[in-house]
Amino acid sequence: MDNTQSIPKHPKRLAKFKQSLSDFFFTLYKINQFILRFFREAFVPPFELKEVVRQCYEVGVRSFTLISVTGFIVGVIFTKQSRPSLSQFGAESWLPSLVSIAIMRALAPLVTALIASGKVGSSIGAELGSMRVTEQIDAMEVSGTKPFKYLVCTRVLATTLTIPILSTYTGFVALFGGYLNVTQNEGTTWTTFIQEVFEPLTFTDFVASLIKSIVFGFTIGIVGCYQGYNSNKGTEGVGKAANGAVITAMFLVFIEEVIIVQITGWFR
Amino acid sequence: MKKVAVQADHNNPVISIRGLKKAFQDYAVLRGIDLDLYQGENLVVLGRSGTGKSVLIKIISGLLKPDEGMVKVFDQDIAHITEDELQKLRIRIGFSFQNSALYDSMTVRKNLEFPLVRNKRNLTRGEINTAVETVLDAVGLSQTINQMPSELSGGQRKRIGIARTLILNPEIMLYDEPTAGLDPITCIEINDLINEVQQRYNTSSIIITHDLTCAKQTGDRIAMLLDGQFQRTGTFEEVFNTNDSRVKPFYDYNFIE
Ligand SMILES: Nc1ncnc2c1ncn2[C@@H]1O[C@H](COP(=O)(O)OP(=O)(O)OP(=O)(O)O)[C@@H](O)[C@H]1O
Ligand SMILES: [Mg+2]
């Protein structure tokens, strides 16, 4: 049988694989350079404080409504769904502490980060992408101003600072949702609920949660900026940058979640 | 405004390019460019779309790196200087982009202030305002100061783009197709503005265009980019007094009887 025609396929596929592998590592290298550049430029004067504040405001405003609604719903639903399992053991009174551990340790940072990836990450990607495409970044560069500092450092700082705050806020909104559900069913008062909520939480929980949100915020900022700042010329580049920012950020958030949970497990 | 012929000082090039080559992937765009820009002159670079005119001035301003050859601006080789030196150099070069590249999230005022406050940190509010008003007046658009770029016409955007570079008092101006896409009367106004800038700010300029009226009105010297090299340089008449089939259609198309 003559199957010479199928032979060249494999080397080709291999070459393709090699190519995409080396592309992947090259991208990793470039992202690494991008992050290093952030640390090199973000903390040397002159600072763009005004712009950082403006970006913080943008991040907060963009995601505030969605986060409030989602946080509340997550709180209500989680409480409602956990009740049957607990009531099997007659342990409904544990509901507040269960809810608080779930929300403060895991749900609040994660939900906030995912929503911010969608709302904030994509708009950073699109914004910087369109500035790249319309040569606004080049225009900054040739006028002796530092676009990386003005555009990237400010946005990354803003997400890194704001997302932990939003995350805390989401946590409280979710707890409030949980409280409404608990008080309706078990008639628990607000004071008792709050007491039971804070009882199981340790200092490690707060620190771990905070570190997690900071890492998530940094990731969302860096990914959005990287995608936008390095987007291709042409209008489709803008869409790709926005889309890539969301997907990559969400993916990384999950991976980081797993890693951080592992590490904090060792400290408990 | 009437063009005043400039007696350029030919011993004193502000930009000097030798053997410049630049390729993208396999496509050689610039294939050995030699060019001098003399103090005070307007040099017009003509060439068809895609011949690498924009690439040339992007190399001069350090946005792209040359593959080969030497590019000296004020006697500094731009391929071999530090970031800081490049930044200092860039302040002396004004770059007017093909599509104006105004910052579309900022008002005209903020657009103009942006390079100024970041390069001269110790200016007072009053000095900044004066500088902004002066350049806006120079391009004749004082009334647009609080508008957003999206509210401006193409010609106005070009002017604001030029004003944004003038605010740093550049010694060299690089214009990338200043008249492309504008009506004939606005073109003439832009040409006048280029000549006015040359005299008022005493700049040496490279003007990229494929509009021969613009070339004729603003150029002290013309250089024609063909196949990645400057094939013909000289005055307008010198360049077009030829039967070269690559040059003649350019002229014929622009001046259809
Ligand atoms: N960053 C880049 N990456 C890859 N190719 C590029 C890049 N910049 C320019 N080119 C290619 O170089 C060639 C010259 O481009 P350039 O923009 O200089 O043309 P131009 O002479 O300015 O044309 P136009 O009159 O249309 O503006 C084009 O074929 C373009 O595809
Ligand atoms: Mg061009």
Side-chain angles (χ1 to χ4, degrees):
Chain A
M1 221 174 82
D2 177 30
N3 46 9
T4 44
Q5 284 207 318
S6 61
I7 291 171
K9 260 190 187 165
H10 299 287
K12 236 191 216 165
R13 236 181 242 168
L14 192 68
K16 233 184 187 174
F17 177 71
K18 274 185 182 163
Q19 181 63 39
S20 62
L21 201 68
S22 75
D23 281 354
F24 174 74
F25 281 110
F26 186 58
T27 312
L28 273 193
Y29 169 78
K30 280 201 303 190
I31 292 177
N32 192 34
Q33 292 295 308
F34 197 78
I35 295 174
L36 289 179
R37 188 168 174 198
F38 167 79
F39 285 110
R40 268 204 312 275
E41 293 195 13
F43 305 106
V44 253
F47 300 108
E48 299 279 0
L49 266 183
K50 237 175 150 179
E51 182 64 13
V52 174
V53 173
R54 198 177 74 84
Q55 290 300 332
C56 285
Y57 177 77
E58 289 278 312
V59 172
V61 164
R62 269 177 201 153
S63 33
F64 187 77
T65 328
L66 198 53
I67 277 179
S68 308
V69 175
T70 321
F72 183 76
I73 291 176
V74 163
V76 174
I77 298 208
F78 184 80
T79 316
K80 206 173 159 63
Q81 304 281 20
S82 313
R83 181 171 294 108
S85 337
L86 285 183
S87 61
Q88 276 181 359
F89 310 101
E92 289 99 329
S93 58
W94 287 2
L95 207 47
S97 44
L98 175 72
V99 170
S100 107
I101 288 178
I103 286 174
M104 284 311 192
R105 277 193 193 165
L107 288 176
L110 195 61
V111 165
T112 314
L114 292 180
I115 288 178
S117 304
K119 292 286 283 188
V120 180
S122 67
S123 64
I124 290 179
E127 206 176 0
L128 295 196
S130 73
M131 289 189 78
R132 169 63 75 196
V133 169
T134 55
E135 295 182 314
Q136 293 177 49
I137 296 181
D138 287 342
M140 287 186 180
E141 200 127 349
V142 294
S143 62
T145 55
K146 294 182 169 156
F148 191 91
K149 187 162 195 152
Y150 179 75
L151 299 171
V152 175
C153 294
T154 53
R155 281 171 174 76
V156 175
L157 284 175
T159 52
T160 314
L161 291 172
T162 317
I163 287 179
I165 298 174
L166 285 174
S167 203
T168 315
Y169 167 76
T170 314
F172 282 108
V173 174
L175 283 180
F176 181 66
Y179 163 72
L180 287 188
N181 191 279
V182 169
T183 192
Q184 196 189 11
N185 289 280
E186 278 85 28
T188 319
T189 62
W190 175 249
T191 358
T192 331
F193 180 79
I194 286 295
Q195 265 169 12
E196 286 176 26
V197 155
F198 281 101
E199 206 187 58
L201 293 177
T202 60
F203 183 67
T204 323
D205 289 328
F206 285 110
V207 174
S209 229
L210 188 68
I211 291 176
K212 216 187 315 189
S213 310
I214 291 175
V215 172
F216 290 165
F218 181 77
T219 308
I220 292 167
I222 281 282
V223 169
C225 287
Y226 176 82
Q227 294 280 355
Y229 203 78
N230 296 308
S231 78
N232 286 321
K233 300 272 159 104
T235 19
E236 75 182 320
V238 180
K240 269 192 193 157
N243 200 17
V246 179
I247 294 170
T248 320
M250 285 189 174
F251 183 65
L252 288 178
V253 161
F254 281 119
I255 293 181
E256 286 163 0
E257 167 81 30
V258 171
I259 295 174
I260 295 175
V261 165
Q262 272 301 326
I263 293 175
T264 45
W266 297 334
F267 287 95
R268 284 227 167 82
Chain B
M1 189 170 172
K2 198 81 195 78
K3 170 99 185 117
V4 182
V6 170
Q7 208 49 51
D9 178 0
H10 282 231
N11 298 317
N12 184 13
V14 287
I15 296 179
S16 174
I17 301 175
R18 293 289 176 274
L20 168 65
K21 289 184 183 166
K22 177 77 187 174
F24 292 105
Q25 281 91 43
D26 301 331
Y27 176 50
V29 181
L30 303 178
R31 305 169 205 164
I33 296 276
D34 296 319
L35 184 73
D36 284 314
L37 176 70
Y38 301 112
Q39 169 59 45
E41 74 170 340
N42 276 354
L43 172 69
V44 168
V45 171
L46 285 173
R48 292 182 55 182
S49 245
T51 45
K53 308 184 295 298
S54 298
V55 170
L56 173 66
I57 59 171
K58 280 180 183 166
I59 290 176
I60 292 174
S61 59
L63 283 176
L64 292 172
K65 290 261 169 287
D67 293 341
E68 249 180 74
M70 181 204 76
V71 180
K72 276 192 174 171
V73 182
F74 299 120
D75 270 329
Q76 284 176 288
D77 192 333
I78 59 117
H80 300 105
I81 56 177
T82 63
E83 270 294 309
D84 282 346
E85 285 170 327
L86 180 61
Q87 178 152 356
K88 289 211 182 77
L89 201 56
R90 278 168 163 172
I91 299 172
R92 302 168 71 185
I93 307 175
F95 195 127
S96 157
F97 280 82
Q98 193 162 349
N99 57 13
S100 310
L102 299 184
Y103 309 134
D104 47 24
S105 61
M106 305 181 201
T107 61
V108 168
R109 178 196 288 279
K110 288 271 179 252
N111 260 280
L112 299 180
E113 280 178 13
F114 190 85
L116 189 63
V117 296
R118 276 169 186 75
N119 285 306
K120 303 192 175 127
R121 292 266 164 192
N122 42 18
L123 293 181
T124 64
R125 190 68 243 173
E127 286 168 326
I128 295 170
N129 286 343
T130 315
V132 168
E133 282 152 22
T134 311
V135 288
L136 263 186
D137 186 51
V139 300
L141 284 176
S142 305
Q143 78 281 7
T144 62
I145 189 157
N146 291 319
Q147 281 176 289
M148 297 301 284
S150 56
E151 299 165 353
L152 303 176
S153 74
Q156 288 176 321
R157 294 167 65 95
K158 281 267 155 66
R159 282 161 182 269
I160 299 295
I162 293 171
R164 190 176 61 186
T165 63
L166 290 179
I167 204 159
L168 293 174
N169 283 314
E171 295 155 66
I172 296 177
M173 279 296 289
L174 307 172
Y175 297 95
D176 198 348
E177 310 209 4
T179 59
L182 302 178
D183 70 84
I185 295 170
T186 314
C187 282
I188 292 173
E189 285 171 7
I190 296 275
N191 296 342
D192 287 347
L193 176 62
I194 292 172
N195 290 332
E196 210 178 305
V197 167
Q198 181 188 21
Q199 273 149 45
R200 204 149 137 186
Y201 290 82
N202 194 21
T203 53
S204 327
S205 314
I206 294 182
I207 300 149
I208 287 178
T209 188
H210 32 225
D211 169 9
L212 290 201
T213 317
C214 172
K216 208 168 182 175
Q217 283 186 354
T218 59
D220 297 301
R221 212 151 57 90
I222 313 275
M224 185 105 192
L225 190 58
L226 287 166
D227 304 326
Q229 288 183 324
F230 282 114
Q231 307 280 5
R232 302 186 68 83
T233 4
T235 61
F236 191 84
E237 287 72 23
E238 284 165 2
V239 167
F240 285 102
N241 189 7
T242 173
N243 278 324
D244 189 326
S245 62
R246 296 170 305 177
V247 180
K248 251 182 88 58
F250 228 97
Y251 187 85
D252 295 343
Y253 174 76
N254 268 268
F255 297 101
I256 295 168
E257 263 95 66

